[in-house]
Amino acid sequence: MADELTPETPDTALGETAAATDEQPIKQRKNGLYPSVSDELAENMKTGWADTELRDLKPIEQVEHTARRRAALSARFPGERLVIPAGNLKTRSNDTDYPFRSAVEYTYLTGNQTEDGVLVLEPTADGHQATLYLLPRSNRANGEFWLSAQGELWVGRRHSLAEAEQLYGIPTADVRELPHKLREATGPVRVVRGHDAGIEAALTDKVTAERDEELRVFLSEMRLVKDEFEIGELQKAVDSTVRGFEDVVKVLDKAEATSERYIEGTFFLRARVEGNDVGYGSICAAGPHACTLHWVRNDGPVRSGDLLLLDAGVETHTLYTADVTRTLPVNGKYNEIQKKIYDAVYEAQEAGIAAVRPGAKYRDFHDAAQRVLAGKLVEWGLVEGPVERVLELGLQRRWTLHGTGHMLGMDVHDCAAARTETYVDGTLEPGMVLTVEPGLYFQPDDLTVPEEYRGIGVRIEDDILVTEDGNRNLSAALPRRSDEVEAWMASLRS
């Protein structure tokens, strides 16, 4: 990492940075390691640069969809100023930041993903006027472009305001002016909280937690039903994820020689080459680690004869993620007890998927899968029946542990702020996308089950689109039935 002339990091809030005007030059830090910039060098750096403005840019693919979403938001909150921030960079350590990922609400409404951006919907007589507040290109006249920690010679070029307006179809303005405008604003205001402390500070005494929560809930519920663009992006995410699973199967011998980290890294390569990132921390759980639902340490051994529970998803460049799980025999063949447990989970998943259809209650697929698993536990003598008693008392949950699925989209657990009555107590509609992922987990220290069960964890998860006449499995390209999994693995490793 370059460090010869460590740039100044502005120490003031957004809207009041040292780079705000041409007349206020960036100050080069002075200490024993980094000398100040000479006047001659400062003048030299101002000139001799070509015009790199991009003209005639095409709008982003989803521009019509984002406009429609903003119109729906406007109709819900007439006469109110709505403020939706992208968020800011977060410090990882000292002077390094985490990779930025914009707030879902902001990107859903704009398509933009740059840090410090803010979408503002100003009330008008006939609706709202949207303005996208962004940082303009870093300033060359005052040296910001090479002396600021966020100058383009350090972190890369950002779009000019004119370029952004072409891309996103929204009028743009300098975000550094926004805090002052918000402080001076009158009338009702709502803001999506938790992403930009500077913007929230500018709205102190103008907003209430209750009203802001209504905005957040509405934006979450808007995403329950996906449009055709979103469904296409989710399919892209799933298709890349399928290829990532194939990559892993091909290198399981190398993982055996190293650790679960090899599996994690292999899948991550596919995610970064074909998408933006992984949609969440990959769960690469071999052996008894499969019994830990969110095992993301991925530092354990991978042994022949054990199972590998791989729960992973590629996130597209537009931030839609897949979420798929397969439980694979490391050596390519399930043993008798592994197959018995795997086939039970497969049967439960089949029942769950069959229950996904328009008009069904959201909870139906969970109930269907749990009924199958409860029946298997009674059949195996692990819990006393009948099945209705087990379900009524929730006794199966010792080994099933979690719900059978969740909504999927720009968040891996999408629409999480939606009201209970519209989500888990709601009804399935065409365009909804959810996971179906039953599992059985027999902890290594569970003395209530036979020894041969202990340390075996199985989950099978697919991404299911609710269609007009039933459902479509977006991840159907990955085999699920135990014999098909074995044949698929053999074909990839031959």
Side-chain angles (χ1 to χ4, degrees):
M1 180 178 286
D3 199 29
E4 282 76 16
L5 276 173
T6 298
E8 176 98 348
T9 302
D11 57 2
T12 50
L14 178 62
E16 302 173 288
T17 66
T21 66
D22 289 354
E23 291 75 27
Q24 185 179 27
I26 291 288
K27 299 175 183 177
Q28 176 67 22
R29 68 177 61 175
K30 298 180 180 180
N31 56 34
L33 296 176
Y34 309 114
S36 61
V37 174
S38 68
D39 292 341
E40 289 82 359
L41 177 58
E43 287 301 313
N44 178 274
M45 291 296 288
K46 291 180 182 179
T47 61
W49 304 102
D51 177 11
T52 59
E53 183 76 4
L54 303 175
R55 298 172 177 85
D56 300 320
L57 291 172
K58 293 181 180 180
I60 60 172
E61 184 180 355
Q62 67 267 42
V63 68
E64 293 182 4
H65 295 290
T66 56
R68 176 178 45 76
R69 296 165 193 165
R70 293 193 300 275
L73 178 61
S74 172
R76 171 61 179 82
F77 298 103
E80 302 185 54
R81 181 177 286 102
L82 307 175
V83 182
I84 301 96
N88 316 125
L89 291 169
K90 292 181 172 59
T91 300
R92 180 180 184 273
S93 178
N94 191 23
D95 59 352
T96 60
D97 299 311
Y98 285 106
F100 180 73
R101 189 186 190 277
S102 53
V104 164
E105 297 88 350
Y106 172 85
T107 300
Y108 180 72
L109 294 168
T110 67
N112 179 260
Q113 298 180 36
T114 55
E115 64 268 21
D116 301 329
V118 184
L119 172 68
V120 178
L121 272 62
E122 299 278 354
T124 64
D126 57 354
H128 284 84
Q129 171 62 53
T131 303
L132 190 57
Y133 287 87
L134 301 166
L135 283 171
R137 287 194 64 187
S138 53
N139 197 310
R140 292 182 184 269
N142 69 0
E144 177 193 3
F145 79 109
W146 70 292
L147 292 176
S148 167
Q150 295 304 312
E152 68 180 49
L153 292 194
W154 288 89
V155 298
R157 184 188 189 276
R158 56 183 175 250
H159 286 297
S160 70
L161 298 183
E163 292 168 354
E165 189 164 330
Q166 294 179 69
L167 287 169
Y168 305 108
I170 309 172
T172 58
D174 190 333
V175 72
R176 294 171 297 189
E177 301 168 0
L178 182 58
H180 175 72
K181 289 184 177 181
L182 293 178
R183 283 191 288 268
E184 298 297 315
T186 59
V189 184
R190 297 179 192 254
V191 63
V192 177
R193 299 191 181 201
H195 302 300
D196 192 319
I199 292 299
E200 290 180 37
L203 291 170
T204 301
D205 301 328
K206 296 179 185 293
V207 295
T208 67
E210 181 180 4
R211 286 164 48 78
D212 292 347
E213 181 64 11
E214 289 176 351
L215 172 61
R216 188 174 79 101
V217 168
F218 179 77
L219 288 170
S220 191
E221 292 180 357
M222 279 184 71
R223 305 199 306 276
L224 283 167
V225 176
K226 271 60 180 177
D227 57 40
E228 62 267 26
F229 173 81
E230 295 180 284
I231 293 168
E233 290 301 294
L234 285 166
Q235 187 65 69
K236 286 180 189 176
V238 169
D239 291 345
S240 289
T241 299
V242 168
R243 289 187 283 272
F245 274 67
E246 292 172 346
D247 295 339
V248 167
V249 170
K250 291 175 182 177
V251 301
L252 278 178
D253 57 335
K254 294 183 176 64
E256 286 187 64
T258 53
S259 75
E260 295 161 339
R261 293 278 170 95
Y262 202 96
I263 295 166
E264 179 183 2
T266 298
F267 187 85
F268 180 70
L269 177 61
R270 178 67 64 174
R272 287 293 283 166
V273 167
E274 295 192 1
N276 176 60
D277 205 330
V278 290
Y280 53 96
S282 298
I283 299 168
C284 308
H289 288 162
C291 299
T292 301
L293 297 184
H294 288 170
W295 177 261
V296 293
R297 299 179 201 172
N298 299 334
D299 58 0
V302 179
R303 299 187 178 96
S304 180
D306 281 348
L307 296 178
L308 166 68
L309 191 156
L310 177 59
D311 184 336
V314 172
E315 177 185 78
T316 66
H317 294 292
T318 55
L319 306 187
Y320 289 85
T321 185
D323 182 8
V324 178
T325 306
R326 290 294 182 268
T327 305
L328 310 172
V330 173
N331 63 10
K333 287 286 187 181
Y334 297 100
N335 65 32
E336 183 178 354
I337 188 65
Q338 291 168 348
K339 186 177 186 301
K340 174 183 174 180
I341 296 169
Y342 183 95
D343 288 348
V345 175
Y346 171 77
E347 186 178 329
Q349 195 201 27
E350 283 282 273
I353 293 174
V356 175
R357 57 183 179 274
K361 296 296 185 184
Y362 174 83
R363 295 181 186 269
D364 287 353
F365 76 94
H366 169 74
D367 293 341
Q370 289 289 299
R371 179 171 293 277
V372 171
L373 294 177
K376 294 296 182 181
L377 294 168
V378 171
E379 177 187 330
W380 298 341
L382 302 184
V383 63
E384 182 182 348
V387 170
E388 291 298 338
R389 169 184 172 272
V390 173
L391 293 171
E392 182 181 355
L393 299 175
L395 302 179
Q396 82 284 1
R397 291 179 59 185
R398 180 182 178 107
W399 302 284
T400 65
L401 295 180
H402 55 79
T404 306
H406 51 81
M407 292 294 181
L408 186 67
M410 297 180 81
D411 281 328
V412 66
H413 297 132
D414 208 27
C415 312
R419 293 166 296 168
T420 299
E421 57 265 34
T422 61
Y423 190 164
V424 296
D425 285 343
T427 300
L428 296 181
E429 300 177 39
M432 290 182 170
V433 180
L434 57 141
T435 67
V436 179
E437 49 174 313
L440 281 174
Y441 311 91
F442 299 103
Q443 304 300 325
D445 57 349
D446 188 349
L447 301 182
T448 70
V449 301
E451 186 175 356
E452 63 267 26
Y453 287 61
R454 298 173 198 164
I456 294 178
V458 173
R459 180 163 65 251
I460 311 171
E461 177 181 19
D462 286 87
D463 301 341
I464 309 298
L465 167 68
V466 183
T467 62
E468 294 289 343
D469 57 356
N471 68 68
R472 174 159 60 92
N473 186 349
L474 301 179
S475 45
L478 271 182
R480 292 185 296 126
R481 210 173 64 200
S482 56
D483 59 335
E484 293 175 344
V485 170
E486 291 176 341
W488 169 72
M489 293 183 69
S491 70
L492 291 172
R493 301 169 81 174
S494 59

